[in-house]
Amino acid sequence: MDDTHLRSAAGRGAAATGGAVRRFATGAGLLARGLGLILRNPRMLGLGLLPAVISGVLYAALLITLIVFIDDLAAGVTWFADDWSAAGRDVLRIVAGAALIGLSGLIGVLTFTAVTLLIGDPFYEKISGMVEDRFGGVPDEVEVSLGRSLARSLVDSLRLIGLSVLFGIPLFAAGFIPVVGQTVVPVVGGAVAGWLLAVELTGVPFQRRGRRLRHRRAALRGDRATALGFGVAVFACFLIPLGAVLLMPAAVVGGTLLSRKVLGLPIEG
């Protein structure tokens, strides 16, 4: 390949990378837009906080329990090191404890979202509908009863929780690999969690159109960088203490905006 072709290929690669970065930033910005809309609308804020507070109390109790018993849990998953020297055993169990907390954080963020969406389904349905109306409504809306909507949400949430556990176990094991476990694994875990959160938080708008989990995944894959940007931003904010509780309404609004974007509907004006 001559220099002209090499430069052309490099230019196309740089343009594609730059475009992906811009779309990633656009996706992250949807969470910020969601927060802005929530703060300007006290009714949305009130509707959105109650389910998140209930879930927050439940998950805080689970986190405290995990921390109290982390030494015993770390010893339990490293039983094979009982006969090691004290120094080696202690180092391994510190790493195991950190990995357990990391895995619990990953699964906790994902299941928190699923559980909160289930608890707050009528509330978040209302918030999402208000956002849709603001930007032009839903021309292809399908009427779904509350019971059927809750059943679909439960099934889809269980599928996503199962996926989070499926990915979380190998990531937990990889956390024991020196250097890689403390650098690459958290990045991969954040990307996986971000994608699953994007899929989870677009559930209500897609159900409103009579579309299921497979339709969501297909639509989001069409603009993967934007979906990842939104999901990773939500994941990062949910790791902040009380972030999941305070930002859940904004994440629901951002998920509605993301849904409209990937479906080719307006999100401006």
Side-chain angles (χ1 to χ4, degrees):
M1 182 180 291
D2 59 30
D3 289 347
T4 300
H5 287 98
L6 285 172
R7 285 195 295 270
S8 177
R12 289 194 299 271
T17 301
V21 171
R22 284 193 296 273
R23 294 198 305 277
F24 187 93
T26 297
L30 293 177
L31 178 61
R33 285 190 61 188
L35 180 60
L37 285 172
I38 284 290
L39 292 178
R40 291 194 298 271
N41 192 317
R43 186 183 178 194
M44 282 189 187
L45 182 62
L47 284 171
L49 282 180
L50 181 60
V53 169
I54 294 171
S55 295
V57 171
L58 172 63
Y59 276 75
L62 292 173
L63 177 60
I64 291 171
T65 302
L66 173 67
I67 292 173
V68 168
F69 292 101
I70 192 64
D71 290 341
D72 294 334
L73 292 171
V77 298
T78 58
W79 77 95
F80 53 85
D82 288 344
D83 297 329
W84 291 15
S85 67
R89 184 174 62 247
D90 290 346
V91 169
L92 179 65
R93 286 179 176 169
I94 289 172
V95 173
L100 280 170
I101 291 174
L103 173 64
S104 300
L106 172 64
I107 295 176
V109 167
L110 294 170
T111 56
F112 176 91
T113 304
V115 169
T116 304
L117 287 172
L118 283 174
I119 292 173
D121 188 80
F123 300 94
Y124 295 136
E125 173 74 30
K126 181 65 175 178
I127 291 173
S128 180
M130 292 167 69
V131 175
E132 299 260 31
D133 291 341
R134 180 186 181 95
F135 294 107
V138 185
D140 54 346
E141 184 170 4
V142 175
E143 290 293 333
V144 179
S145 67
L146 178 60
R148 189 174 180 185
S149 175
L150 286 172
R152 286 184 174 182
S153 295
L154 177 60
V155 171
D156 289 350
S157 295
L158 288 174
R159 287 178 180 173
L160 288 167
I161 290 171
L163 283 173
S164 70
V165 174
L166 182 65
F167 283 111
I169 291 173
L171 287 171
F172 167 71
F176 289 95
I177 302 174
V179 182
V180 172
Q182 292 74 51
T183 54
V184 176
V185 171
V187 174
V188 173
V192 170
W195 174 256
L196 293 176
L197 283 171
V199 174
E200 181 70 49
L201 288 164
T202 51
V204 170
F206 274 80
Q207 284 189 25
R208 184 177 291 116
R209 294 163 171 83
R211 304 187 186 187
R212 299 297 304 277
L213 180 59
R214 63 181 183 278
H215 302 122
R216 267 185 275 166
R217 288 196 297 241
L220 293 173
R221 279 196 296 267
D223 194 354
R224 192 185 300 270
T226 302
L228 273 175
F230 171 71
V232 169
V234 173
F235 177 67
C237 290
F238 278 14
L239 291 177
I240 301 170
L242 296 181
V245 173
L246 298 176
L247 287 176
M248 190 64 187
V252 170
V253 174
T256 303
L257 294 174
L258 175 62
S259 299
R260 293 183 64 85
K261 183 173 177 61
V262 299
L263 291 171
L265 297 171
I267 59 172
E268 303 292 342

